[in-house]
């Protein structure tokens, strides 16, 4: 039997295989997991996703399993501890952004009932089904990610440029950017 064909990046490192096959592009609606993804995508800025994926478990431990209520209350002592944690990206701006984003995240939950209800509005509540044949066809940003970025910034979120937002949208399954030749493209479309 022939092995399943993946998006090329999904085979470029052993850690990518389960991430590609089980997570990336699957519609995500759990607020805590959406918050985790938002923080990790911001931490990725200027780095590779593989770097962040390798550190994901350390992030979960360091950031109280991404409980936004806890992260929103982090103080200077907690920031100092995080800056000393070798398991995460020790960048003050990114750590402070995670705290600010937790506070903004809670405000969005209060306004919309859930972050999920808010964030999925940028794609009309349903994943955008793309039919890309090559990685070169995948854009770094779209009109939807531009709108998301603008609105998140207006609400006080940081490290949410349009490129980061598009990566978030891809990972959270708001867009299906698995290549049409990839076995996950059909699976993700069917999971809607």
């Amino acid at each position: 039997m022939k092995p399943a064909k993946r998006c090329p990046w999904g085979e470029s490192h052993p850690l990518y295989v389960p991430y590609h096959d089980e997570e990336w592009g699957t519609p995500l609606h759990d607020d805590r997991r959406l918050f985790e993804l938002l923080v990790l995508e911001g931490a990725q800025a200027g780095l590779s996703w593989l770097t962040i994926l390798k550190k994901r478990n350390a992030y979960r431990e360091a950031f109280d399993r991404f409980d936004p209520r806890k992260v929103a209350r982090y103080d200077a002592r907690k920031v100092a501890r995080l800056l000393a944690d070798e398991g995460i990206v020790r960048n003050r701006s990114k750590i402070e952004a995670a705290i600010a984003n937790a506070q903004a995240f809670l405000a969005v939950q209060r306004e919309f009932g859930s972050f999920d209800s808010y964030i999925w509005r940028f794609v009309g509540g349903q994943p955008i089904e793309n039919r890309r044949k090559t990685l070169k066809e995948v854009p770094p940003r779209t009109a939807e990610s531009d709108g998301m970025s603008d609105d998140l910034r207006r609400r006080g979120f940081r490290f949410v440029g349009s490129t980061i937002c598009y990566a978030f949208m891809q990972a959270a399954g708001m867009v299906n950017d698995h290549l049409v030749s990839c076995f996950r493209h059909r699976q993700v479309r069917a999971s809607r």
Side-chain angles (χ1 to χ4, degrees):
M1 187 164 135
K2 207 160 97 170
K5 185 165 181 162
R6 291 182 181 87
C7 298
W9 67 265
E11 297 180 332
S12 63
H13 188 278
L15 276 180
Y16 276 151
V17 174
Y19 178 69
H20 171 276
D21 291 1
E22 300 163 19
E23 293 181 59
W24 192 80
T26 301
L28 182 59
H29 294 283
D30 177 84
D31 268 17
R32 189 177 288 202
R33 291 192 56 216
L34 288 165
F35 178 65
E36 174 180 340
L37 186 57
L38 188 70
V39 171
L40 294 178
E41 290 290 355
Q44 180 197 355
L47 303 170
S48 73
W49 183 245
L50 184 58
T51 298
I52 301 305
L53 205 53
K54 288 177 180 178
K55 295 177 178 287
R56 184 163 63 167
N57 287 333
Y59 264 98
R60 287 174 175 160
E61 186 69 29
F63 281 85
D64 289 295
R65 296 274 183 263
F66 293 102
D67 181 337
R69 291 177 306 279
K70 290 182 180 179
V71 176
R73 294 191 308 264
Y74 285 179
D75 59 13
R77 283 192 324 200
K78 178 65 174 183
V79 170
R81 283 196 301 274
L82 291 169
L83 286 169
D85 188 335
E86 294 181 8
I88 67 169
V89 175
R90 296 179 294 169
N91 176 298
R92 181 178 296 276
S93 294
K94 291 178 180 182
I95 290 168
E96 290 175 348
I99 298 165
N101 288 353
Q103 294 163 355
F105 187 92
L106 294 173
V108 165
Q109 283 183 321
R110 285 190 297 272
E111 182 178 346
F112 291 89
S114 69
F115 189 77
D116 174 64
S117 296
Y118 162 76
I119 206 70
W120 278 84
R121 296 175 325 129
F122 293 99
V123 292
Q126 291 291 321
I128 294 171
E129 290 296 331
N130 293 315
R131 299 204 40 82
R132 307 192 196 285
K133 294 182 177 142
T134 67
L135 291 178
K136 288 181 180 182
E137 294 176 28
V138 180
R141 60 192 280 185
T142 62
E144 292 84 5
S145 68
D146 288 348
M148 180 189 298
S149 174
D150 290 346
D151 200 68
L152 287 168
R153 287 181 192 181
R154 186 176 59 74
R155 293 173 182 281
F157 287 86
R158 294 164 40 193
F159 280 91
V160 289
S162 187
T163 300
I164 289 173
C165 284
Y166 195 65
F168 175 93
M169 292 170 75
Q170 291 173 307
M174 297 171 71
V175 296
N176 184 356
D177 268 348
H178 284 284
L179 301 183
V180 292
S181 59
C182 174
F183 78 98
R184 288 288 292 152
H185 186 273
R186 189 177 303 110
Q187 287 179 354
V188 166
R189 190 175 68 234
S191 73
R192 291 178 42 176

